[in-house]
Amino acid sequence: MPKLGMVALTLVEASRRRAVDGRASPFSLVFRSSSSETWPQSTYHMTHPVMGQLDIFLAPLRRVENGMDYVATFD
């Protein structure tokens, strides 16, 4: 797991995909970093004030003005 220090991410998009074979609906979350640095695709340790600590696999999605978007997909 890469060590990046503390970096704030903002949830900018949540989308559902169609469920298959009666399973739970898969979904994706897009997070935005204000850092122009591109992090590698990897599992990152995150802390949320309500949800607590969790590990999420993030992949770079797109460069945006003043930052970078990362996607987490849950199947």
Side-chain angles (χ1 to χ4, degrees):
M1 204 173 327
K3 290 236 183 222
L4 299 174
M6 297 290 283
V7 177
L9 297 177
T10 302
L11 179 65
V12 294
E13 183 181 320
S15 58
R16 277 194 178 177
R17 297 188 323 233
R18 196 175 75 152
V20 178
D21 299 329
R23 296 186 337 208
S25 296
F27 63 98
S28 296
L29 301 175
V30 176
F31 296 95
R32 182 160 295 158
S33 165
S34 61
S35 171
S36 60
E37 179 182 358
T38 301
W39 313 328
Q41 174 175 297
S42 187
T43 301
Y44 292 92
H45 185 73
M46 301 177 81
T47 302
H48 185 272
V50 174
M51 296 174 58
Q53 298 185 9
L54 57 155
D55 294 329
I56 296 182
F57 186 83
L58 295 175
L61 178 64
R62 60 186 165 239
R63 187 168 300 284
V64 295
E65 188 175 335
N66 299 320
M68 188 74 186
D69 283 355
Y70 296 87
V71 64
T73 302
F74 301 87
D75 285 322

